[in-house]
Amino acid sequence: MASSRDILARGVKNRWMLYIASMAGANVFAGVIAAVLLLWVLPIPRDAQVSDRGDVIFLTALTYLVAGAVISVGTAIVLLSPLTRWRRRGGPPTTAEQSAVMLLPLRQSLVHTAVWLIGSLAFIAYNYSDTPNLAITGGIVLALVSVGTFGASYMLGERILRPVAARALSDAEYAPQYAPPISMRLLLTWGLGTLVPTIGLLTLAIGQITGWVDATSTTFAAAVIAMCVLTGLTSLVLTLLTSSHLSDPVRQLRAALLDVRNDVRDTRVNVYDGSELGMLQVGFNRMVTAVDERRRLRTLFGKHVGDDVARLALENGTELGGETRFVAVLFVDMIASTRMAAARPPTEVVDLLNRFFEVIVEVVHRHGGFINKFIGDEVFAVFGAPLEMPDPCTATLRAARRMHTELVRRTGIDAGIGVSSGVCVAGNVGAAERLEYTVIGDAVNEAARLTELAKIHPSRVFAAQHTVTAACAEERAQWTAGRSLVLRGRRMPTGIAYPADAPTAADGSEPGAGGVDGDAAGDEAEAHSAVADDPGPATEPRYRPRPDETA
């Protein structure tokens, strides 16, 4: 495949040849216009002296026209030399090379203007003594043609070199005001398309009135008609060139804005203009870069704290403090995680944890919850904050039942799940330099204690009875009520419920059945430490997991 340097070289070379040909063509076209005006359009007296000098004037004008074309091509080659060096070297252009590319059309147009003005003065000086009418008329025509050549060659050259300019401006730091501002371009178009032809018509009319131009009414009218047609065509061409200069960047920006609205990544516009339009193009690209960066930061922020918290932080700020909310909370804690970490390589442990967390996050989000924290192999989820929910208890209980089933089916990893609900404070805690969105309240502590108990109960899922009572009738039917326990750190007993279709103590995990080792013993000790008083209910968590459940 061709390298970017080869592509640049071919693109620059093609534009280089087209530019030289267009500059030579612009001079030839201007010469043709001048010849038509002098020979057939303008009512110049054709006396004997003019006829005698006609051949000499024609040969002289033709020679000068050829010389002007040579000068134009030679100047273009000299002005393109920095561009040639850049093409051969490759990479970003230097400041001087960038300036040479952007200012090339203007400099070339000034050379054309100088050539035509010098030719105008030479024409007047050569013919004035013998044919003053022809000398003055021809001088005025050549002067007006020089102005027209300036505008046409500038606009044409700038359009031809647009891809090269885009590459020069994109590969290096943008430097504004390499081109006339928009107001100057509009004035230039008006001057070339309206003012210059008007001056020609006024000169013709004044010459007819003063007798300097002695033409019949028919001849004069034909000259005026021809000048009007030429003016109309010139104005049309200049207007089209100017409108394209102004409308092309606007259309490009409009298309890019639609891409941004449709969330198209890496949307950019080519910067090829050296005026305010180029600054607008650069500004758009910088804006899109900032938007993409903000989008990436928001995505990253959302992955760390949750999309809802990220959106609220962006909309309302991140002040410390919180608000009182009725929420339902859910804890999930992996069983036998310590033994797993000791028996497997760290990479495999991380992979298992990621699969474990993936199921939890998917189930919680499916039921409208918010993952608040990952604490080692434990997950804390909230329903009803930061966004309010009409029935957080029902959503949390459904998520807990579904989560246990999904974890066993999809990962083979067992975990204890605890659910509670109540009035908590939800908001940002910490310091101004480092804060975190969290939920604080008695329900959080209760759910954590229930999770410890659930890890050694066959159901693996415990919920506070008051949470089940607050759920809808359909969800309440999915739970079985047990007795109450006084959990550590609490004075009042907590009613415990577990899924109705879950295994119970009669399923083969009687107290004292089988040995307790490794993490299972640790889980049982942790569970008993979560109970302040042991009244011995049917749901008392004194069950040892079966060996296959902790493997």
Side-chain angles (χ1 to χ4, degrees), residues 11 42 64 133 136 296 323 511 536:
L42 298 178
Y64 189 82
N133 289 346
I136 296 175
R296 289 194 296 270
E323 56 181 344

Side-chain angles (χ1 to χ4, degrees), residues 279-466:
M279 298 177 66
L280 182 62
Q281 293 168 330
V282 171
F284 177 85
N285 287 340
R286 291 174 179 173
M287 179 198 71
V288 171
T289 300
V291 170
D292 288 342
E293 182 179 357
R294 180 172 179 175
R295 184 188 292 113
R296 289 194 296 270
L297 288 174
R298 180 171 178 171
T299 301
L300 183 62
F301 185 36
K303 287 182 179 180
H304 281 278
V305 303
D307 291 338
D308 296 331
V309 174
R311 184 167 54 254
L312 290 176
L314 292 173
E315 293 175 355
N316 304 325
T318 56
E319 296 182 359
L320 293 175
E323 56 181 344
T324 302
R325 289 277 187 90
F326 180 82
V327 299
V329 296
L330 179 150
F331 271 93
V332 187
D333 193 4
M334 183 185 296
I335 295 175
S337 59
T338 303
R339 193 173 75 175
M340 179 189 69
R344 303 189 181 192
T347 55
E348 187 175 342
V349 173
V350 171
D351 181 64
L352 287 173
L353 283 175
N354 288 336
R355 290 165 50 198
F356 174 72
F357 291 146
E358 181 181 2
V359 174
I360 296 173
V361 170
E362 179 182 323
V363 174
V364 169
H365 286 174
R366 189 190 311 159
H367 291 82
F370 159 60
I371 299 293
N372 185 239
K373 288 184 180 67
F374 294 97
I375 311 169
D377 59 353
E378 188 176 1
V379 181
F380 173 46
V382 183
F383 294 75
L387 300 181
E388 293 185 1
M389 294 181 65
D391 189 0
C393 294
T394 298
T396 311
L397 292 170
R398 286 176 178 171
R401 290 189 297 107
R402 186 63 179 172
M403 186 179 298
H404 177 255
T405 304
E406 290 285 321
L407 282 173
V408 174
R409 182 179 65 85
R410 294 170 55 181
T411 68
I413 300 174
D414 209 355
I417 302 173
V419 177
S420 183
S421 62
V423 178
C424 299
V425 176
N428 297 315
V429 298
E433 295 80 10
R434 176 68 174 87
L435 49 83
E436 183 180 47
Y437 185 90
T438 191
V439 176
I440 300 174
D442 184 63
V444 178
N445 299 326
E446 187 175 59
R449 300 290 180 262
L450 291 174
T451 303
E452 296 168 0
L453 300 179
K455 291 172 67 175
I456 62 168
H457 188 270
S459 70
R460 298 292 191 249
V461 182
F462 272 175
Q465 182 59 52
H466 63 85

